[in-house]
């Protein structure tokens, strides 16, 4: 009877989120005398830094998003369940998640919340219909279909005006994701697709990088930002700084320049990488606990030990935590998740009580961004370098953090083929990837969704002057806005 009680009373750790913070927390608790429940609304551990390579046909989804269950199947003290967490009772020690219409209540003794961040449109969420972000697998697949579909539509365009619109690609935001994506779209047009069409020359495609601030890669400083700027311009990318996007629709974007004037960029394919907003669980935690606050981006202002005020057993890590000097990058999530796991183990071992915990200290291992094949920028402490050596460092670091031997092996092969040659192995795209977002919106408002479908699908006048919506056809059909 006592043995049964001891098993039942094993310390229960609930981890919300299967990103870097959640996964590394679980791994660091693998030898601890705890029962772990990992709750995630997706079935995979997503390596977000390489999403843009899925969007541009270099890598497949499987290489950057292995199954979380498979990754953790040898760790016997972990149970993985799918569900979208919609309630956290910090007093009662329970987490409520929902899968389809069924709720699951999971009790905890310690909680690690690592749900990350989502794309921020700064209050203009309707922009997402026409300019998907780069935070999920769905985003990457949708964007790939839009990019390839735009070239297909340009091939069939009846006028130069329509052709130019489909051949213009706008990337909003000149941070690492925006820089990497703009560079890869340019290389896709210049190398991979060169000669594949008969009515268009893909090398004529315009890739425009729009940034509201005054510099490319501003957090990395003027030296590296300047090098990335020059490299992108050499590739033909048009960089527009101090340009604020005020509207996005099916046919293009509206830009407000520094002098207050507004102008239009006609473009069928847009992508948004201009900002992030923390998970809604941040606000929920603030409401459930007294004294906890969130910052402007919705991140939780945590205590020095990454817990929320008054609850030393509730940790917030990764992009959801607001800690000065800790960027919203994988390293911050990894170190935060590891810190929380060690704090839990120390308490169980009797090494440290919660009040004796040392404050979390972030070790900055540097930051980097790839600009094009054979070219990247890298910052490690005061050391700054760029070019081929930085590109090799970027490759090595990303391979190191890819989960699974097979993922690393296949990724190296795909990189070898893509960067040394012209071929990209993941060029499939479907109409469903483009319109899946509208299909979901149709569940809430069918009439509005139909109107959006017409805008994205385009309209051509009939003989009596009334417009009739065109629906794209073919396996690579994209957003028809002719």
């Amino acid at each position: 009877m006592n043995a049964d009680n001891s098993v039942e009373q094993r310390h229960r750790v609930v981890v919300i989120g299967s990103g870097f913070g959640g996964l590394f927390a679980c791994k660091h608790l693998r030898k601890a005398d705890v029962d772990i429940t990992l709750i995630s609304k997706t079935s995979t551990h997503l390596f977000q830094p390489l999403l843009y390579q899925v969007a541009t046909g270099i890598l497949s989804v499987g290489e950057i998003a292995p199954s979380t269950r498979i990754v953790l199947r040898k760790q016997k003290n972990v149970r993985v369940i799918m569900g979208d967490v919609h309630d956290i009772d910090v007093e009662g020690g329970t987490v409520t998640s929902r899968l389809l219409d069924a709720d699951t209540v999971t009790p905890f003794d310690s909680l690690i919340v690592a749900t990350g961040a989502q794309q921020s449109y700064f209050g203009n969420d309707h922009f997402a219909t026409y300019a998907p972000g780069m935070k999920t697998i769905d985003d990457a697949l949708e964007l790939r279909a839009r990019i390839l579909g735009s070239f297909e539509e340009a091939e069939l365009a009846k006028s130069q005006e329509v052709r130019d619109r489909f051949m213009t690609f706008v990337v909003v935001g000149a941070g690492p994701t925006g820089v990497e994506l703009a560079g890869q779209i340019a290389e896709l047009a210049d190398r991979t697709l060169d000669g594949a069409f008969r009515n268009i020359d893909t090398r004529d495609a315009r890739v425009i990088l729009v940034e509201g601030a005054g510099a490319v890669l501003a957090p990395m400083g003027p030296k590296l930002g300047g090098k990335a700027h020059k490299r992108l311009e050499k590739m033909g990318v048009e960089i527009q700084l101090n340009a604020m996007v005020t509207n996005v629709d099916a046919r293009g974007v509206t830009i407000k320049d520094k002098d207050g004037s507004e102008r239009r960029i006609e473009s069928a394919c847009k992508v948004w990488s201009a900002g992030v907003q923390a998970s809604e669980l941040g606000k929920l935690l603030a409401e459930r606990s007294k004294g906890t606050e969130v910052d402007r981006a919705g991140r939780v202002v945590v205590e020095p030990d990454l817990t929320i005020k008054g609850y030393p057993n509730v940790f917030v890590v990764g992009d959801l935590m607001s800690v000065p000097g800790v960027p919203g990058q994988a390293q911050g999530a990894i170190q935060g998740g590891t810190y929380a796991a060690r704090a839990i183990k120390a308490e169980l071992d009797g090494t440290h009580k919660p009040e004796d915990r040392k404050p979390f200290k972030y070790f900055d291992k540097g930051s980097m961004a790839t600009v094009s094949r054979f070219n990247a920028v890298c910052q490690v402490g005061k050391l700054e370098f760029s070019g081929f050596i930085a590109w090799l460092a970027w490759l090595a670091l990303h391979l190191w953090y890819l989960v699974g031997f097979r993922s690393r092996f296949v990724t190296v092969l795909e990189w070898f083929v893509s960067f040394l040659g012209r071929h990209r192995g993941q060029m499939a795209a479907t109409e469903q990837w483009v319109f899946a977002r509208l299909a979901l919106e149709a569940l809430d408002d069918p009439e509005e969704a139909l109107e959006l479908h017409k805008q994205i699908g385009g309209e051509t006048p009939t003989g009596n002057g009334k417009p009739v919506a065109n629906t794209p056809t073919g396996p690579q059909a994209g957003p028809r806005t002719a």
Side-chain angles (χ1 to χ4, degrees):
M1 194 70 180
N2 291 336
D4 291 340
N5 289 338
S6 64
V7 171
E8 291 176 2
Q9 293 174 2
R10 279 205 351 159
H11 193 87
R12 300 163 299 182
V13 180
V14 171
V15 179
I16 306 176
S18 59
F20 285 107
L23 188 66
F24 273 76
C26 289
K27 285 181 171 291
H28 276 79
L29 289 169
R30 64 185 178 277
K31 295 182 179 180
D33 188 26
V34 298
D35 290 321
I36 308 167
T37 301
L38 173 64
I39 307 174
S40 176
K41 63 181 179 180
T42 67
S43 62
T44 61
H45 164 67
L46 178 60
F47 194 89
Q48 274 192 357
L50 290 178
L51 263 180
Y52 76 95
Q53 293 199 2
V54 173
T56 52
I58 297 175
L59 297 178
S60 70
V61 171
E63 268 55 78
I64 71 165
S67 166
T68 307
R69 291 185 181 278
I70 302 301
V71 171
L72 295 173
R73 65 180 168 185
K74 293 183 179 180
Q75 189 172 333
K76 300 304 182 182
N77 65 342
V78 177
R79 174 193 179 211
V80 179
I81 65 175
M82 278 191 66
D84 190 5
V85 173
H86 64 87
D87 191 30
I88 299 175
D89 184 354
V90 293
E91 289 287 348
T94 62
V95 171
T96 304
S97 58
R98 180 172 296 158
L99 181 61
L100 298 179
D101 294 327
D103 279 355
T104 300
V105 179
T106 308
F108 67 84
D109 298 305
S110 293
L111 175 65
I112 301 175
V113 186
T115 48
Q118 57 196 11
Q119 205 71 57
S120 173
Y121 290 87
F122 307 108
N124 299 290
D125 291 347
H126 58 285
F127 288 1
T129 301
Y130 310 105
M134 282 295 292
K135 289 296 181 183
T136 68
I137 293 172
D138 290 333
D139 290 337
L141 293 178
E142 179 180 352
L143 182 59
R144 186 201 297 175
R146 288 185 180 230
I147 293 172
L148 298 177
S150 289
F151 285 111
E152 296 290 346
E153 296 283 7
E155 174 80 354
L156 299 174
K158 303 301 182 182
S159 68
Q160 188 62 43
E161 178 185 0
V162 173
R163 184 175 298 113
D164 289 344
R165 184 164 68 249
F166 283 115
M167 293 279 283
T168 300
F169 302 85
V170 176
V171 179
V172 183
T177 299
V179 166
E180 291 167 340
L181 190 57
Q184 284 306 315
I185 294 176
E187 290 195 339
L188 179 69
D190 289 344
R191 290 174 52 80
T192 305
L193 297 178
D194 182 27
F197 294 85
R198 297 297 173 261
N199 293 332
I200 61 171
D201 184 345
T202 58
R203 294 173 299 176
D204 293 335
R206 293 180 65 196
V207 181
I208 304 174
L209 183 60
V210 179
E211 169 58 45
V216 172
L217 295 177
M220 297 185 72
K223 179 181 177 181
L224 294 181
K227 289 183 177 295
H229 190 134
K230 290 179 181 178
R231 175 58 184 165
L232 287 172
E233 286 189 330
K234 187 175 181 180
M235 297 170 64
V237 176
E238 301 175 32
I239 300 175
Q240 300 182 8
L241 303 177
N242 298 307
M244 300 293 295
V245 174
T246 58
N247 192 33
V248 181
D249 56 41
R251 296 176 179 270
V253 299
T254 302
I255 304 293
K256 185 177 182 179
D257 288 315
K258 194 174 183 179
D259 60 6
S261 60
E262 287 195 342
R263 55 189 171 85
R264 284 277 297 177
I265 300 177
E266 297 296 315
S267 168
C269 184
K270 290 82 59 178
V271 59
W272 191 275
S273 63
V276 294
Q277 180 74 21
S279 160
E280 294 181 355
L281 288 186
K283 182 180 179 181
L284 178 64
L285 282 173
E287 293 173 349
R288 293 290 190 270
S289 59
K290 297 179 180 179
T292 301
E293 299 179 351
V294 294
D295 64 12
R296 294 178 59 186
R299 297 173 298 186
V300 179
V301 179
V302 294
E303 298 295 284
D305 63 352
L306 304 187
T307 62
I308 62 175
K309 191 179 294 293
Y311 298 92
N313 64 327
V314 179
F315 297 85
V316 179
V317 304
D319 290 350
L320 189 57
M321 69 180 184
S322 178
V323 179
V326 181
Q329 299 176 352
Q331 276 300 320
I334 291 171
Q335 294 180 34
T338 302
Y339 173 90
R342 288 175 176 170
I344 292 172
K345 288 197 297 184
E347 183 178 355
L348 294 178
D349 295 341
T351 308
H352 291 98
K353 296 180 180 179
E355 57 267 24
D356 298 328
R357 292 172 186 160
K358 294 182 179 179
F360 170 72
K361 288 187 178 181
Y362 174 68
F363 176 64
D364 188 357
K365 295 184 179 181
S367 55
M368 56 181 62
T370 178
V371 184
S372 65
R373 69 189 190 109
F374 309 144
N375 190 287
V377 292
C378 185
Q379 182 182 56
V380 182
K382 295 183 179 180
L383 178 63
E384 297 180 345
F385 55 104
S386 61
F388 184 68
I389 299 300
W391 184 74
L392 290 178
W394 180 91
L395 291 180
L397 180 68
H398 284 69
L399 281 176
W400 175 262
Y401 282 111
L402 271 178
V403 175
F405 172 78
R406 182 185 180 281
S407 294
R408 296 189 181 106
F409 179 74
V410 175
T411 298
V412 169
L413 290 180
E414 294 287 0
W415 282 348
F416 182 84
V417 171
S418 298
F419 296 142
L420 295 184
R422 299 170 57 187
H423 178 71
R424 299 191 179 197
Q426 305 298 324
M427 298 292 285
T430 71
E431 179 182 339
Q432 289 185 1
W433 292 351
V434 176
F435 290 107
R437 191 187 303 264
L438 297 183
L440 292 175
E441 292 176 358
L443 297 176
D444 296 325
D445 193 335
E447 292 185 2
E448 181 181 356
L450 179 61
E451 180 61 29
L452 290 174
H453 191 288
K454 290 179 179 179
Q455 291 180 39
I456 292 181
E459 295 179 349
T460 55
T462 63
N464 58 10
K466 295 182 179 180
V468 177
N470 288 326
T471 301
T473 59
Q476 292 188 348
R480 180 185 291 273
T481 55

